[in-house]
Amino acid sequence: MDTPFNEHTMLITGSCHCGNIAYSLDWAPDPKEIPARACTCTFCTKHGGVWTAYPAGCLKIRVKDPAQVSRYAFGTETADFHICKRCGVVPLVTSSIDGQDYAVVNVNTFENVDASMLQRSSSNLDGENTGDRLARRKRNWIANVTFLP
């Protein structure tokens, strides 16, 4: 019997430049393309942040040296940008909503994804109120987030 979709899983890996902050993202079924949204806020513009999320995915994050990670929040202060102090790269953003972590990952930190798979667009979230912002994250961001020891 044929299944309605490809049952294969893509395991996306990524990290900051020095490897202090690394992650793996299970994406199933194997995607044909990956949405990549360039946020137009001043922080993302200055850092070249281009984000993706797969709400049904499973994100595992490993930090070698937590003392070398800075968390930066601005604006509504409802999201933490995880910045490696050693190399300056921002591989992911988390948002704690109702006691649960949600996340997006920076496609520029992917290690094993062909760039042709990225469907790039821009995203302007100026004017979005905090309630709408958190509801959007709950819908669209990765909900299964684990920080490994």
Side-chain angles (χ1 to χ4, degrees), residues 35-117:
R37 295 171 306 280
C39 179
T40 59
C41 81
T42 55
F43 183 82
C44 290
T45 299
K46 289 177 186 264
H47 281 270
V50 181
W51 310 101
T52 196
Y54 179 57
C58 176
L59 180 67
K60 291 185 167 88
I61 303 160
R62 180 189 42 76
V63 176
K64 288 181 185 172
D65 184 356
Q68 290 298 314
V69 177
S70 175
R71 289 187 180 209
Y72 179 67
F74 66 98
T76 62
E77 296 187 358
T78 56
D80 288 324
F81 290 79
H82 297 252
I83 307 165
C84 181
K85 291 180 184 180
R86 192 174 295 134
C87 67
V89 174
V90 185
L92 60 109
V93 180
T94 58
S95 181
S96 181
I97 305 168
D98 301 327
Q100 180 177 343
D101 284 332
Y102 294 82
V104 291
V105 293
N106 186 344
V107 302
N108 293 323
T109 63
F110 284 177
E111 295 172 340
N112 64 333
V113 175
D114 189 301
S116 66
M117 288 187 71

